[in-house]
């Protein structure tokens, strides 16, 4: 259930935060955005939640102006008629999401998954990876049994033998590789780009370009801090995400990155359109979409410098660092 932290006064910008978008998770805790908005006479309201898929409903109900997820939820939102626009993307994130089986499993290839049970978080990058690899071997998305759950539920189903395979993301991928008890059938990078995507409500993006640019500048600054201080950033996640792997697994994942925001290029639009068309073919979204219709001109902050530099000392002023 989303938790909202509403400020007492000022022009309010609502931002969705969950741990599956590391950039926004760090920004929430670093304290970079607040003074930048204050100079524009604005304040931020943080809406915190655990499941990134909630981002779609939060935009649909106009409860947030800005949020970030993997690349599937904005496609799903657009297909459902939610008025959103793409703001920025990350570089590809190879190896961050993987389809795994036990090391001693009789499942040797993706083709062996027909009729098998796969634990995953449906409607996320897990679905994107699985849809891509299934289609490549001629298996339909509905030719497997999806056991939909959060990270803890997926792990439990997999470890108990209820699930034959599991799609999981960092830091759980890092933890799994460290254990040596799993075998990777497919992973992001070889199959999908698996980018982070930051998106906004269309009405907010059109009406408040200065506030949108400030959000992007703040994200680029906090990302720069996280890239320089992966151990400190890992501590934020280990302390702030109940039941997650330890700080060492988080640090491994965060060092892999990538950090930083990029404009939504023509190549990204084509990449997203290819994925959206696949979702339609597999019956995963209710209607076809045109990704280009949800792309505005890039904000100037994406074309220039990263904005204010956040040092370890300045981060310490906010209780991190």
């Amino acid at each position: 259930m989303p938790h909202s932290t509403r400020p007492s006064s000022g022009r309010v910008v609502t931002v969705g935060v969950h741990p599956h978008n590391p950039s926004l998770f760090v920004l929430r805790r670093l304290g970079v955005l607040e003074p930048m908005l204050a100079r524009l006479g604005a304040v931020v309201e943080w809406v915190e939640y655990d499941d990134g898929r909630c981002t779609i409903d939060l935009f649909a109900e106009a409860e947030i102006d800005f949020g970030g997820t993997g690349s599937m939820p904005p496609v799903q939102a657009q297909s459902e008629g939610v008025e959103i626009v793409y703001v920025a993307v990350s570089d590809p994130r190879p190896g961050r999401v993987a389809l795994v089986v036990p090391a001693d499993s009789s499942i040797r290839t993706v083709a062996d998954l027909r009729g098998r049970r796969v634990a995953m978080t449906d409607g996320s990058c897990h679905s994107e990876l699985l849809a891509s690899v299934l289609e490549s071997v001629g298996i339909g998305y509905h030719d497997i049994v999806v056991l939909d759950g959060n990270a803890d539920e997926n792990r439990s189903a997999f470890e108990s033998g209820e699930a034959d395979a599991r799609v999981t993301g960092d830091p759980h991928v890092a933890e799994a590789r460290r254990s040596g008890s799993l075998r990777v059938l497919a992973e992001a990078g070889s199959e999908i780009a698996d980018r982070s995507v930051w998106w906004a409500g269309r009405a907010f993006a059109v009406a408040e370009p200065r506030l949108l640019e400030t959000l992007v500048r703040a994200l680029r600054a906090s990302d720069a801090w996280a890239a320089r201080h992966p151990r400190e950033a890992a501590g934020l996640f280990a302390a702030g995400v109940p039941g997650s792997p330890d700080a060492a697994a988080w640090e491994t994942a965060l060092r892999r990155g990538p950090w930083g925001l990029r404009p939504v290029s023509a190549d990204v639009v084509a990449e997203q359109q290819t994925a959206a068309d696949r979702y339609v073919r597999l019956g995963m979204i209710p209607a076809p979409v045109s990704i280009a219709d949800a792309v505005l001109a890039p904000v100037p902050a994406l074309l220039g410098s990263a904005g204010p530099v956040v040092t370890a000392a300045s981060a310490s002023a906010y209780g991190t660092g």
Side-chain angles (χ1 to χ4, degrees):
M1 180 69 67
H3 170 70
S4 174
T5 303
R6 179 171 289 277
S8 58
S9 63
R11 195 177 192 178
V12 178
V13 180
T14 51
V15 179
V17 182
H18 59 90
H20 303 295
N21 187 276
S23 296
L24 284 167
F25 189 88
V26 171
L27 180 67
R28 166 71 177 95
R29 285 149 182 83
L30 206 58
V32 176
L33 178 60
E34 287 81 353
M36 296 174 69
L37 286 177
R39 289 194 287 273
L40 298 177
V43 291
V44 61
E45 175 186 350
W46 301 102
V47 180
E48 300 193 74
Y49 48 104
D50 297 327
D51 190 335
R53 294 173 296 179
C54 293
T55 307
I56 298 172
D57 289 339
L58 290 170
F59 272 116
E61 296 164 7
E63 293 187 18
I64 60 173
D65 298 314
F66 186 86
T69 61
S71 56
M72 185 175 182
V75 175
Q76 178 82 31
Q78 197 179 355
S79 181
E80 294 176 4
V82 182
E83 288 290 332
I84 59 98
V85 294
Y86 288 73
V87 176
V89 297
S90 74
D91 286 332
R93 301 179 292 181
R96 193 194 71 93
V97 176
L99 169 62
V100 300
V101 295
D104 60 354
S105 172
S106 62
I107 298 173
R108 309 304 301 179
T109 68
V110 173
D112 297 330
L113 288 176
R114 187 186 297 272
R116 300 298 190 105
R117 297 160 299 181
V118 182
M120 57 184 284
T121 302
D122 202 16
S124 71
C125 56
H126 297 186
S127 300
E128 184 182 10
L129 174 61
L130 194 58
S132 176
V133 298
L134 290 177
E135 189 171 57
S136 71
V137 297
I139 297 177
Y141 195 74
H142 300 294
D143 291 331
I144 62 166
V145 179
V146 172
L147 303 181
D148 182 23
N150 60 31
D152 290 339
E153 292 165 341
N154 292 340
R155 178 191 297 187
S156 176
F158 184 69
E159 292 179 349
S160 70
E162 180 185 357
D164 302 299
R166 177 188 179 196
V167 185
T168 188
D170 269 339
H172 304 280
V173 170
E175 183 183 46
R177 292 183 193 279
R178 190 170 60 180
S179 74
S181 61
L182 302 177
R183 182 157 34 86
V184 175
L185 294 184
E187 63 183 1
S190 60
E191 299 293 340
I192 61 171
D194 185 34
R195 301 177 191 271
S196 282
V197 177
W198 293 274
W199 32 310
R202 181 180 290 274
F204 169 75
V206 171
E208 302 287 1
R210 293 182 68 200
L211 296 181
L212 183 62
E213 174 147 5
T214 299
L215 281 164
V216 170
R217 288 190 179 278
L219 272 168
R220 294 189 71 186
S222 65
D223 263 24
W225 176 86
R228 292 195 303 270
H229 302 92
R231 181 163 299 175
E232 292 90 336
L236 298 178
F237 285 89
V241 183
S244 72
D246 60 21
W250 276 111
E251 184 177 352
T252 298
L254 297 180
R255 283 186 181 279
R256 186 155 54 218
W259 296 98
L261 284 72
R262 303 286 181 262
V264 182
S265 66
D267 286 345
V268 171
V269 172
E271 181 183 285
Q272 283 289 91
Q273 190 65 57
T274 296
D277 294 344
R278 179 184 300 121
Y279 302 150
V280 172
R281 287 195 302 272
L282 296 177
M284 296 168 64
I285 58 176
V289 301
S290 169
I291 300 298
D293 290 346
V295 178
L296 304 179
V299 299
L302 290 171
L303 305 176
S305 67
V309 174
V310 182
T311 65
S314 63
S316 296
Y318 299 109
T320 52

